[in-house]
Amino acid sequence: MRFPEHVDVAIVGSGPCGAAYARVLSERAPTASIATFEVGPLLADPPGVHVKNIASAQERARAQRLSEGPAPRDGAASTDTMDGYADDAPRLARPGTFLLPSGYRQPGEDGLPGAAMSSNVGGMGAHWTGACPRPGGSERIAFVPDLDDLLAEAERLLCVDAHAFDDAPFAAEVRKRLGAAIDAGRGGDRRVQPMPLAVRKDAGGRVTWSGADVVFGEPTRGNPNFSLHSQALVTRVLVDGDRVRGVQIRDMRDGTVHDVRARYVVVAGDSLRTPQLLWASGIRPRALGRYLNDQPQTVFAVRLRDIAPDPAAETDPRDKAEIVPQSGVSWVPFTDDEPFHGQVMQLDASPVPLADADEPLPGTIVGLGWFCAKDLQESDRIEFDDREGDAYGMPAMRIHYRLTERDHAAIEASRNAVRRAAEALGEPLDDAPLTFDPGASLHYQGTVRMGERDDGTSVCSPASQVWDVTGLHVAGNGVIPTATACNPTLTSVALAVAGARAIAADLTAERN
């Protein structure tokens, strides 16, 4: 039989947050039966591996195409995530992702033209850039008292390392110059520093990206009570009164429909499809799909000035699958006085194309990406259409999204801030910073947001349980209730840890 008839916990989605639930439950409730269901295919072994860890360009391209949902690009499409990143195309489509085909903008609104998703085992964790900064100031969730403990556990699960590239050429010089321009008046943990990254460095110095495979880890893969089911679309969460009772699944291989009974269900999709599934299931709290927010993103590029060649540097790392010693990623943390988050990336990690006129010294071309926190509005939302289905047959999405006057002011301030940072480093390679259309960050949040109490402005509790539906939890970036500028994955995994611990405690109490 392809699917189990009954499990203790059914997890919908195999990205970092779904994997975190499986991992924590495997460690804390090892006798519980757990099944994870993923609409997309398995890309490689181990399940959930990051595609950049696939050495073969041909196999890497195959994995990216498999991730691109119902209408993947043709086999000749680029595998380089930087291709087209800073050109003037109307919508940015990255390898391994697929754009929301319609409904992304309503008349007279800004919309989210960059809204994109991935369908594969490992979710977006198979394609992300691995940045895991901790939130600060108003980014933090004040009603989660053990947030720092949860963030530390998320760092363990993701194998976060802030020092993997301490020896990258010119990285220390980049941080020295940035610090001189930015650090005045900042607290110690908010000063320019190496970016914490979800990467692993082996004894030989090779660095690989953490995907959901790292979060699953051996405790999950070796758990005889855990199973992972790919190409399994969960079309409905089954509820009996105020208690969850399982999920309904469509087998994407043959179209058959199956019910799996479960005592607990965790919906750990992205910020678009998690509320979509709840809506399709008739679970529709007022805040569902609302408070949708993205992080307005501005990029710029410079060539470091006054830099001598490093005789120990290796060759240009472009087109290589793995991260190499030329890579350097620095972090300008968010503060409430300067409400931006800055990623400063060298060469292969840079968010902008390299200069073509001549071959730069490895490490001397630096891309700067500044992200803003969105002005949160209940009216920024996903509307679901029960009369029309998407390519998976789920309710079609209509995005309602507007940038406010405060947002436009923040974007302009971030453009000035990124220019000042660039001038501290070297000579700009462009005339002006480029601000992407909404959605390009892929950091959508808020659509199943957490709240301290059930007052109509949130979907779930601090343990990520959906209000009024016992046993139903949600996970992913959509749970984050605050306006953030930093990369959200570390925070969303931390919140998943809290939810998984709550389920594990309940299971343990029931069996004692």
Side-chain angles (χ1 to χ4, degrees):
M1 181 179 295
R2 172 153 150 77
F3 302 121
E5 293 183 358
H6 176 270
V7 292
D8 290 311
V9 185
I11 302 171
V12 184
S14 61
C17 291
Y21 267 86
R23 171 73 171 271
V24 173
L25 288 166
S26 293
E27 291 178 338
R28 293 195 168 213
T31 62
S33 55
I34 308 162
T36 294
F37 303 98
E38 169 60 54
V39 64
L42 182 68
L43 302 181
D45 190 53
V49 69
H50 197 297
V51 298
K52 282 198 173 183
N53 296 339
I54 301 173
S56 164
Q58 182 177 0
E59 287 302 307
R60 191 162 63 251
R62 174 182 174 274
Q64 289 172 328
R65 299 294 86 83
L66 287 172
S67 304
E68 292 171 352
R73 301 172 184 86
D74 63 46
S78 173
T79 66
D80 187 348
T81 55
M82 294 300 107
D83 277 359
Y85 198 88
D87 64 19
D88 56 359
R91 301 181 72 197
L92 175 62
R94 298 178 180 89
T97 72
F98 60 100
L99 294 166
L100 191 63
S102 63
Y104 55 85
R105 181 188 290 126
Q106 306 309 309
E109 299 180 0
D110 296 290
L112 284 180
M117 297 161 277
S118 292
S119 289
N120 54 269
V121 172
M124 198 66 80
H127 310 282
W128 69 319
T129 59
C132 286
R134 287 197 177 199
S138 59
E139 293 182 308
R140 292 173 60 87
I141 306 167
F143 58 82
V144 178
D146 55 347
L147 182 60
D148 287 322
D149 168 68
L150 297 171
L151 290 167
E153 178 66 355
E155 289 166 343
R156 178 182 79 90
L157 297 181
L158 289 160
C159 290
V160 174
D161 186 349
H163 301 289
F165 301 122
D166 281 355
D167 55 353
F170 315 122
E173 182 64 23
V174 167
R175 287 192 282 275
K176 176 182 175 182
R177 295 182 186 186
L178 286 173
I182 291 171
D183 280 349
R186 287 174 171 251
D189 69 336
R190 296 286 105 184
R191 293 176 180 168
V192 174
Q193 57 192 279
M195 175 67 79
L197 294 167
V199 296
R200 293 173 296 168
K201 192 171 186 177
D202 66 21
R206 181 173 183 263
V207 180
T208 54
W209 302 76
S210 294
D213 63 319
V214 173
V215 182
F216 279 125
E218 289 307 320
T220 308
R221 286 190 289 272
N223 181 358
N225 299 313
F226 171 76
S227 59
L228 172 64
H229 306 273
S230 61
Q231 295 180 275
L233 172 65
V234 176
T235 57
R236 198 171 177 85
V237 176
L238 304 175
V239 177
D240 185 5
D242 63 354
R243 174 82 206 190
V244 74
R245 67 178 181 87
V247 293
Q248 186 174 87
I249 300 165
R250 184 192 311 141
D251 190 329
M252 299 296 288
R253 301 183 305 181
D254 60 17
T256 55
V257 175
H258 308 264
D259 286 357
V260 176
R261 291 179 290 120
R263 299 164 67 192
Y264 296 87
V265 171
V266 180
V267 182
D270 55 48
S271 296
L272 304 179
R273 289 179 286 184
T274 289
Q276 180 190 48
L277 177 56
L278 266 60
W279 179 274
S281 306
I283 302 165
R284 302 176 178 181
R286 174 176 173 77
L288 185 72
R290 296 179 181 269
Y291 302 96
L292 170 66
N293 68 94
D294 176 48
Q295 296 173 344
Q297 179 182 2
T298 294
V299 299
F300 207 27
V302 299
R303 185 194 298 266
L304 293 178
R305 70 168 69 91
D306 302 327
I307 290 293
D310 182 351
E314 295 183 10
T315 57
D316 189 334
R318 284 175 284 180
D319 299 324
K320 291 187 178 180
E322 68 271 17
I323 313 171
V324 296
Q326 279 70 33
S327 305
V329 187
S330 299
W331 175 30
V332 180
F334 168 98
T335 70
D336 289 325
D337 291 332
E338 293 188 67
F340 322 118
H341 156 79
Q343 294 180 208
V344 183
M345 295 164 277
Q346 295 168 252
L347 279 178
D348 59 313
S350 172
V352 291
L354 300 179
D356 294 326
D358 53 64
E359 286 298 319
L361 291 174
T364 60
I365 301 299
V366 179
L368 302 94
W370 255 234
F371 298 79
C372 301
K374 177 73 170 69
D375 184 16
L376 300 186
Q377 304 179 103
E378 184 184 38
S379 58
D380 291 329
R381 70 192 191 280
I382 312 169
E383 179 184 1
F384 299 103
D385 190 341
D386 290 321
R387 299 165 300 176
E388 181 181 344
D390 64 11
Y392 289 110
M394 300 295 286
M397 302 183 205
R398 308 279 184 264
I399 304 294
H400 293 273
Y401 197 80
R402 287 188 172 93
L403 296 173
T404 68
E405 290 185 8
R406 287 178 60 185
D407 289 325
H408 286 293
I411 291 169
E412 186 58 31
S414 75
R415 290 173 61 84
N416 293 333
V418 77
R419 184 183 285 277
R420 289 194 300 272
E423 290 171 350
L425 292 176
E427 309 307 324
L429 298 179
D430 300 296
D431 294 332
L434 171 66
T435 299
F436 290 126
D437 284 336
S441 77
L442 305 181
H443 294 169
Y444 327 122
Q445 301 166 58
T447 53
V448 286
R449 69 202 306 251
M450 176 183 290
E452 189 171 12
R453 62 187 63 86
D454 184 9
D455 60 2
T457 66
S458 61
V459 171
C460 66
S461 74
S464 298
Q465 180 178 289
V466 174
W467 300 117
D468 299 328
V469 185
T470 302
L472 176 59
H473 289 245
V474 285
N477 294 342
V479 174
I480 299 173
T482 53
T484 70
C486 71
N487 310 71
T489 300
L490 182 73
T491 301
S492 60
V493 170
L495 299 179
V497 168
R501 287 177 174 177
I503 293 176
D506 288 346
L507 288 168
T508 301
E510 291 169 5
R511 288 174 174 168
N512 289 338

